[in-house]
Amino acid sequence: MSAADGRLDDAITDFSHRLVEVEGVAKTVYVAGSGPAVVLMPEMPGISPDVLRLARWVRDAGFTVHVPSLFGIDGAHPTAEGGAEVIRRACVSAEFRAFAGGGTSPVTAWLRRLARQAHAECGGPGVGAIGLCFTGNFALTMALEPAVIAPVVNHPSLPLDDPAGLEISPEDARAVRDRIARDGLKVLAYRFDDDRWCTGRRFAAYRALLGDAFDGRVLPGGSANTDPPPFFRDVVGTPHSVVTAHLVDEDGHPTLRARDEILAFLTDRLNRTR
């Protein structure tokens, strides 16, 4: 199917489609590649062609990428109208905590179990977790699972109504902080400097929680792709998605360097014993 702006949906034919059940809850997970596992969570409004492009880069870097379907239409090009509806549904879903005071999103417990299963299947020293936008902070919360050793927090947008807040309960925040300190983990993170959904105040909150374990990297908003899909142009309305919708696939470009840094981070931590 072609979107109104002429861009194509992604049929996702080069991934296996698995129905993964965790404690009675089943979700579709798209899996491809070989090597240690990386759980790549979609950004709003779903598993878009740009998210799948990132998944393929992760796969081609030597990992088994797992992309769980959490919202939206899998493979769909992000339209403004369709994306806005997906946000509305997610904001009232029991699986997510989109607003301040809600604590940790319940879906992260399912994602931690997915990471545990993926580690048992794929082996290696541990699992990588990449969050994007709505799921950005999920990569941090997944570090409550001992198998997760390489969390990447990309432009986390929750809570939507508190630009200085973190989408995590106080108890989970303390547990994540202690686990990261105990095991010497690092948390890699990205945002654009003029992103109104992921502000400098949010990165400051991560730094206050995690200290030097938080490696927050900021790109100039002027480097963002100026022709993103309609959802990002009309609804997001600001440079936001560093390694997906606002990435510029040109050698030496800051967003492509960010992608390479993420792949290097995963390689360093997940291939240590190989």
Side-chain angles (χ1 to χ4, degrees), residues 82-270:
E85 178 58 29
V86 173
I87 290 179
R88 284 191 290 270
R89 290 197 300 267
C91 285
V92 299
S93 168
E95 289 195 302
F96 305 105
R97 297 290 183 264
F99 302 105
T104 303
S105 289
V107 73
T108 58
W110 191 95
L111 291 164
R112 291 196 297 271
R113 290 294 298 273
L114 172 64
R116 189 184 310 172
Q117 290 182 14
H119 185 219
E121 178 182 332
C122 299
V127 175
I130 303 175
L132 301 166
C133 177
F134 204 82
T135 67
N137 190 67
F138 295 2
L140 178 65
T141 313
M142 285 178 69
L144 291 170
E145 163 56 46
V148 175
I149 62 173
V152 183
V153 177
N154 284 294
H155 49 275
S157 61
L158 301 186
L160 295 173
D161 58 342
D162 182 2
L166 300 181
E167 176 271 336
I168 191 169
S169 71
E171 297 80 9
D172 284 348
R174 288 191 293 269
V176 166
R177 179 196 62 202
D178 294 347
R179 194 258 158 147
I180 285 174
R182 182 178 64 249
D183 294 344
L185 301 186
K186 295 290 184 181
V187 177
L188 184 60
Y190 288 88
R191 59 177 291 270
F192 285 112
D193 60 7
D194 54 352
D195 185 354
R196 64 187 178 94
W197 300 104
C198 180
T199 67
R201 286 186 288 167
R202 180 156 293 148
F203 265 32
Y206 280 107
R207 171 72 66 174
L209 175 65
L210 301 173
D212 290 342
F214 180 70
D215 183 359
R217 305 183 183 185
V218 182
L219 278 64
S223 66
N225 174 20
T226 58
D227 186 29
F231 172 79
F232 295 91
R233 183 189 66 226
D234 301 334
V235 179
V236 176
T238 180
H240 181 61
S241 299
V242 174
V243 289
T244 51
H246 288 106
L247 178 140
V248 178
D249 191 3
E250 297 176 357
D251 288 344
H253 194 274
T255 57
L256 200 64
R257 287 200 300 269
R259 179 211 63 180
D260 292 343
E261 290 164 3
I262 290 170
L263 297 178
F265 176 78
L266 295 171
T267 298
D268 177 63
R269 282 149 183 81
L270 302 181

